[in-house]
Amino acid sequence: MKGENPNPSPRSGAAAELLCGVNAKALLDSVDAFLFDCDGVIWKGDKLIDGVSQTLDLLRSKGKKLVFVTNNSTKSRAQYANKFRSLGLSVTQDEIFSSSFAAAMYLKVNHFPPNKKAYVIGGEGILQELQLAGFTALGGPEDGEKRVQLKSSCFFEHDKNVGAVVVGLDPDINYYKLQYGTLCIRENPGCLFIATNCDSVGHMTDLQEWPGAGCMVGAICGSTGREPIVVGKPSTFMMEFLLQKFHMSPSRMCMVGDRLDTDILFGQNAGCKTLLVLSGVTTESILGDSSNSIQPDYYTSKVSDILKLLGE
Amino acid sequence: MKGENPNPSPRSGAAAELLCGVNAKALLDSVDAFLFDCDGVIWKGDKLIDGVSQTLDLLRSKGKKLVFVTNNSTKSRAQYANKFRSLGLSVTQDEIFSSSFAAAMYLKVNHFPPNKKAYVIGGEGILQELQLAGFTALGGPEDGEKRVQLKSSCFFEHDKNVGAVVVGLDPDINYYKLQYGTLCIRENPGCLFIATNCDSVGHMTDLQEWPGAGCMVGAICGSTGREPIVVGKPSTFMMEFLLQKFHMSPSRMCMVGDRLDTDILFGQNAGCKTLLVLSGVTTESILGDSSNSIQPDYYTSKVSDILKLLGE
């Protein structure tokens, strides 16, 4: 993967410290920006996690830059800004880095030819970001109800001008889309296979986990024998944009997330400080298990602990 | 994988010989049984490949035992016997070893508890074979039209008594089935993850290839982080049954198939002679490519070349 830091955070490997009054104050003093994952950190499904709004307000009042870095590709940045608004949070589109946006930016920086098209297995957010970046995208939700009949002499046509298949979370996954993406990758010379992310599961609803983009990406790996280019966390592809935009040193940033293998690894790969919150998929026993090799700098139960620990 | 031969065929690695009159005669004299793959060897989709019927008749007339070993799990052995009949071929259920049957036999020989159930992502054939073997199976085609809504407070229930998820080719794959299988594997302690096979694509129709079981298996690998137990080719699990049934030495058998990484590897893993036919997914240029390390003993364009070469 592109852009990984050859010098990971010196703390990686050492056991995580529980966040307390003293180290929370030191952390706040040592960084200028907080990068937040969203699902399991800011919200679960459509429910805001307790105390998030006040915590973000406090951090902004202390002059900290806030950035939201999400692997969930189903929404575009504009749709995410709406979601933040609907939950009572004031976040602008410029503060949001989604893996749908990252997929479009990957094509842009790699000079994807304007006469080529992208086929999407995933949500409306990927299509919107691709189109905003000036690309022709097909597939996505409009192929959700399409069915195929495996009958003799049935021939499945695909567009020979598709030069990239972009795969993200797709709750409307079907055999039609799988065949379309598979044919493009196997038969169109040079066709790229881009994964927004490879999360195995995620809190698509507040009550439980559901298969994530890793499921759809795994399906296309299985039918093509190819490995994807991953643009979401833990790949640091998005970090390059972030750094260009905000002119900040990664060592003055803290990545806050609920997943060890995406958020914390992403922060460490980029050279940021890292804070794990236990309000999402990772439990304290997973963190402490001998099979886990990813240790954040700090951990705490939820984002709003910062408020409490700083006595605000 | 179980049952692999520690002494692979001595010819593996040496370049394949084109079948000719002399070596065809020698091959026939050196084996008592021919094991045939079906898709791409006997038929393509629902079309019989030219000359197959006469070739099978000739081999039977020379006293050769014929066995059909297929990775396609959508049908049960009974359904395969019907397909052979409908194409004018006289083949009995006892001569058929399908990966649907292998999945049921895997549970049987591993003493799968009778109070546990199997959840199926795949076709009717898997359900039928599981039920014939005395197991309770759920899922499969009846879940093909089920949809899920990722709404707040929506909770997806799954059966805690599912002790195995069996995954095969499923043209009716959907998010409901993926969530069901994922929950069983992630949340039911000790739940097995069984793949009928991992073929990336197959000739589900005569005109082109479509995503195979490897696609659905890849999806579940992606959502669970688990690797499957594979019971179809190239795993030699089915060979153990075949040998028990027919009391034959593998060295007196010839595996005939169109795929290097399943059929030919299966034959070599089991210690059989191997014949590649070019009537399916493998071309002469794939066989000869420097990236291909799997060389059969012999290769020819199609099964009926045997007739011609023997001058019958």
Side-chain angles (χ1 to χ4, degrees):
Chain A
M1 280 176 284
K2 284 190 65 161
E4 303 215 343
N5 191 321
N7 303 308
S9 160
R11 290 198 57 82
S12 82
E17 279 181 33
L18 180 65
L19 203 64
C20 64
V22 175
N23 60 20
K25 173 87 175 58
L27 174 64
L28 219 72
D29 290 344
S30 69
V31 300
D32 305 317
F34 281 86
L35 278 50
F36 289 97
D37 176 43
C38 297
D39 293 302
V41 178
I42 305 294
W43 56 64
K44 270 195 171 184
D46 286 326
K47 293 199 176 162
L48 195 64
I49 292 173
D50 283 350
V52 163
S53 181
Q54 301 88 320
T55 313
L56 299 185
D57 288 346
L58 170 77
L59 294 175
R60 283 198 203 273
S61 77
K62 294 198 179 289
K64 306 301 175 190
K65 174 85 199 150
L66 305 186
V67 183
F68 300 86
V69 186
T70 174
N71 264 0
N72 188 328
S73 63
T74 53
K75 293 184 172 64
S76 62
R77 289 166 304 153
Q79 290 170 314
Y80 269 111
N82 285 338
K83 176 163 182 172
F84 277 103
R85 236 187 323 274
S86 74
L87 293 171
L89 301 176
S90 171
V91 170
T92 66
Q93 198 170 315
D94 279 358
E95 295 172 312
I96 301 165
F97 288 77
S98 63
S99 62
S100 51
F101 175 61
M105 289 304 101
Y106 183 88
L107 293 183
K108 198 154 191 126
V109 302
N110 286 284
H111 309 292
F112 187 68
N115 61 331
K116 292 277 186 187
K117 301 171 188 170
Y119 183 76
V120 174
I121 296 177
E124 187 60 35
I126 302 175
L127 284 167
Q128 283 190 12
E129 291 292 353
L130 288 171
Q131 286 157 357
L132 270 174
F135 299 114
T136 305
L138 57 158
E142 76 168 45
D143 286 352
E145 290 304 317
K146 292 187 183 164
R147 296 288 174 270
V148 287
Q149 290 270 309
L150 290 176
K151 285 190 176 159
S152 183
S153 304
C154 148
F155 189 81
F156 190 104
E157 298 277 359
H158 75 284
D159 191 324
K160 304 289 188 297
N161 283 318
V162 170
V165 174
V166 181
V167 184
L169 168 67
D170 193 339
D172 296 316
I173 189 69
N174 61 31
Y175 199 58
Y176 178 97
K177 296 183 189 181
L178 293 168
Q179 168 70 334
Y180 207 111
T182 299
L183 282 177
C184 293
I185 292 172
R186 293 180 72 104
E187 300 190 1
N188 292 0
C191 185
L192 301 171
F193 170 21
I194 297 174
T196 59
N197 64 300
C198 290
D199 293 27
S200 54
V201 291
H203 264 284
M204 294 7 145
T205 62
D206 49 331
L207 295 179
Q208 72 191 148
E209 292 174 346
W210 300 76
C215 182
M216 292 79 211
V217 172
I220 296 293
C221 293
S223 62
T224 63
R226 288 263 299 270
E227 287 299 316
I229 298 157
V230 183
V231 295
K233 296 173 282 184
S235 150
T236 54
F237 176 75
M238 274 196 278
M239 183 57 87
E240 296 170 31
F241 278 85
L242 234 142
L243 296 180
Q244 271 177 24
K245 196 171 175 98
F246 299 120
H247 309 291
M248 250 174 224
S249 159
S251 66
R252 300 279 306 168
M253 297 178 174
C254 177
M255 175 70 211
V256 185
D258 71 321
R259 287 174 187 268
L260 295 164
D261 59 351
T262 53
D263 302 321
I264 302 306
L265 197 54
F266 168 78
Q268 291 178 345
N269 284 340
C272 302
K273 294 188 173 56
T274 54
L275 168 61
L276 177 77
V277 289
L278 303 175
S279 51
V281 301
T282 307
T283 60
E284 196 161 1
S285 72
I286 293 173
L287 173 66
D289 194 273
S290 60
S291 68
N292 168 44
S293 62
I294 304 170
Q295 291 289 329
D297 295 307
Y298 308 104
Y299 73 101
T300 193
S301 66
K302 57 187 184 300
V303 158
S304 62
D305 295 343
I306 295 172
L307 270 184
K308 198 180 60 188
L309 293 170
L310 295 176
E312 306 266 347
Chain B
M1 281 176 283
K2 284 190 66 161
E4 303 213 345
N5 190 320
N7 304 307
S9 161
R11 291 199 57 84
S12 83
E17 279 180 32
L18 180 65
L19 204 64
C20 64
V22 176
N23 61 20
K25 174 87 175 58
L27 174 63
L28 219 73
D29 289 344
S30 70
V31 301
D32 303 319
F34 282 86
L35 279 50
F36 289 97
D37 176 44
C38 297
D39 293 302
V41 178
I42 305 294
W43 56 62
K44 271 194 169 182
D46 286 325
K47 293 200 175 161
L48 195 64
I49 291 173
D50 283 349
V52 162
S53 180
Q54 300 88 318
T55 312
L56 300 185
D57 287 347
L58 170 77
L59 295 174
R60 284 200 202 272
S61 75
K62 293 196 179 290
K64 305 303 175 190
K65 176 83 199 150
L66 306 186
V67 183
F68 300 86
V69 186
T70 175
N71 263 0
N72 188 327
S73 63
T74 53
K75 294 183 171 61
S76 63
R77 288 166 304 153
Q79 290 171 312
Y80 270 112
N82 284 339
K83 176 162 183 174
F84 278 102
R85 239 190 317 278
S86 74
L87 294 170
L89 301 175
S90 171
V91 169
T92 66
Q93 199 171 315
D94 280 358
E95 294 171 314
I96 301 164
F97 288 77
S98 63
S99 62
S100 52
F101 174 61
M105 289 305 101
Y106 182 87
L107 294 183
K108 197 152 193 127
V109 302
N110 287 284
H111 310 291
F112 188 69
N115 61 330
K116 292 277 185 186
K117 301 172 189 170
Y119 182 76
V120 174
I121 296 178
E124 187 60 36
I126 302 174
L127 285 166
Q128 284 191 12
E129 291 293 351
L130 289 170
Q131 285 158 357
L132 270 174
F135 299 115
T136 305
L138 57 157
E142 75 169 47
D143 286 353
E145 291 304 316
K146 293 188 182 162
R147 297 286 174 270
V148 287
Q149 289 269 311
L150 290 176
K151 286 187 175 160
S152 183
S153 304
C154 148
F155 189 80
F156 190 105
E157 297 276 359
H158 76 284
D159 191 324
K160 303 289 188 297
N161 283 317
V162 169
V165 175
V166 181
V167 184
L169 168 66
D170 193 339
D172 297 316
I173 188 69
N174 60 30
Y175 199 58
Y176 178 97
K177 296 183 190 183
L178 292 168
Q179 169 70 333
Y180 207 110
T182 299
L183 282 177
C184 293
I185 293 172
R186 293 181 73 104
E187 299 190 1
N188 291 2
C191 184
L192 301 172
F193 170 20
I194 296 174
T196 59
N197 63 299
C198 291
D199 294 27
S200 54
V201 290
H203 265 283
M204 292 11 143
T205 62
D206 48 334
L207 295 180
Q208 70 191 149
E209 292 174 347
W210 299 76
C215 181
M216 293 80 211
V217 171
I220 296 293
C221 292
S223 62
T224 63
R226 287 264 298 271
E227 287 299 315
I229 298 157
V230 183
V231 295
K233 296 173 283 184
S235 151
T236 54
F237 176 74
M238 274 196 277
M239 182 59 84
E240 296 170 31
F241 278 84
L242 234 143
L243 296 180
Q244 271 177 22
K245 195 173 176 97
F246 298 120
H247 309 291
M248 249 174 227
S249 160
S251 66
R252 299 280 305 168
M253 296 177 175
C254 178
M255 176 70 209
V256 185
D258 71 320
R259 286 176 188 267
L260 293 164
D261 59 351
T262 53
D263 301 321
I264 301 306
L265 197 55
F266 169 77
Q268 290 178 347
N269 284 341
C272 302
K273 294 188 173 59
T274 54
L275 169 61
L276 176 77
V277 289
L278 303 175
S279 50
V281 300
T282 308
T283 60
E284 197 163 358
S285 72
I286 293 173
L287 173 66
D289 194 275
S290 61
S291 68
N292 168 43
S293 61
I294 304 169
Q295 292 290 327
D297 295 306
Y298 308 103
Y299 73 101
T300 194
S301 66
K302 56 186 184 301
V303 158
S304 62
D305 295 343
I306 296 173
L307 270 183
K308 198 180 60 187
L309 293 171
L310 295 176
E312 305 268 345

